[in-house]
Amino acid sequence: AQSVTQLDSHVSVSEGTPVLLRCNYSSSYSPSLFWYVQHPNKGLQLLLKYTSAATLVKGINGFEAEFKKSETSFHLTKPSAHMSDAAEYFCVVSPTGANNLFFGTGTRLTVIP
Amino acid sequence: DTAVSQTPKYLVTQMGNDKSIKCEQNLGHDTMYWYKQDSKKFLKIMFSYNNKELIINETVPNRFSPKSPDKAHLNLHINSLELGDSAVYFCASSETPGPYYEQYFGPGTRLTVT
C-alpha cells in the first residue's frame, strides 16, 4: 500500500528565513514523488518531481527536495522564504506503474513579514 | 488561453438535485482526471480517462458519472446530490497516463449542497 504523511499541518516562518516542509512516504516499490502548491482559491501547480534520477531535485521558485530512500522522506526546502510562498503544499506519491496520484493532507505555509 | 478550465466556478444547490461540472483542456493532452478535495483539504482521485476511455475509477458512488465526449473534455455529472458531496472538485490533464507526466490542474469548482 502507498501513503504519504506530511508531518506538519501548519508551518510559520519569517520572511527571509529557511523553509522546511516534511514528507514521509510508504510505497511497495520505487515511487515517483511530487510536491504541488495550491495558492488560495487556485488550482494546484507542480513545484518539482522525483522520478528515480538525481536524488536532489530542483523546482520552481527556488524550492528543492531531496529523496532519501533510507529514511523514506522527501522533504521540501527553500533557503529564504518570500511572502508569495504563503500557500498550501502537498506531497504526492505515485507508485511504480500506477496512473494515479496519492496526496498527503497538506501543509499550510504562513510567511510573516 | 487558460490551459485547463472548469465551469462553473461555484455551484450552490439543494439536496436531491442533479448537476454537472464541465472541464476542458487546450493542451492537447490525452489523459484527464477528476479529483475531490474535502473540507480538510484532502485530495483524492475519482476518475481518469485516457483518449475518452475510463482507466481509473476509484470507489465513488455511482451517482457520479463522468463523460468524455472527446479527449479535450471530461464532464462530471452528479445525481441526487447529498450534503457529503460538498467539496471542491478539480479537473486535471496530463500528456499521457503515468506518474512521469505532470498533471495540470484547473481552478476548481466549489460545490455546496444545502
Side-chain angles (χ1 to χ4, degrees), chain A residues 32 34 36 38 41-44 46 49 51 88 90 94-95 97-101 103-105, chain B residues 33 35 37 40-43 45 55-56 58 90 97-103 105-107 110:
Chain A
S32 294
F34 309 80
Y36 277 82
Q38 183 180 23
N41 300 314
K42 302 274 186 184
L44 288 90
L46 180 69
K49 65 180 178 183
T51 53
E88 192 89 20
F90 293 92
S94 183
N99 292 323
N100 50 335
L101 305 177
F103 283 76
T105 48
Chain B
Y33 311 80
Y35 288 87
Q37 186 177 43
K40 295 183 179 176
K41 298 275 188 178
F42 183 62
L43 263 153
I45 192 165
I55 57 171
I56 294 173
E58 292 294 307
F90 286 99
Y100 304 110
Y101 296 92
E102 177 181 354
Q103 292 189 19
F105 283 78
R110 183 175 295 276

Side-chain angles (χ1 to χ4, degrees), chain A residues 33-84:
Chain A
L33 293 157
F34 309 80
W35 277 98
Y36 277 82
V37 61
Q38 183 180 23
H39 286 95
N41 300 314
K42 302 274 186 184
L44 288 90
Q45 180 185 19
L46 180 69
L47 271 180
L48 49 81
K49 65 180 178 183
Y50 166 78
T51 53
S52 74
T55 56
L56 182 62
V57 182
K58 292 188 186 300
I60 61 171
N61 300 335
F63 284 95
E64 61 183 39
E66 187 171 6
F67 172 70
K68 292 187 177 180
K69 189 174 181 178
S70 60
E71 299 176 10
T72 60
S73 70
F74 191 58
H75 302 334
L76 182 71
T77 59
K78 182 173 180 177
S80 176
H82 192 272
M83 295 298 295
S84 60

Side-chain angles (χ1 to χ4, degrees), chain A residues 23-35:
Chain A
C23 172
N24 286 96
Y25 70 92
S26 67
S27 181
S28 303
Y29 302 103
S30 296
S32 294
L33 293 157
F34 309 80
W35 277 98

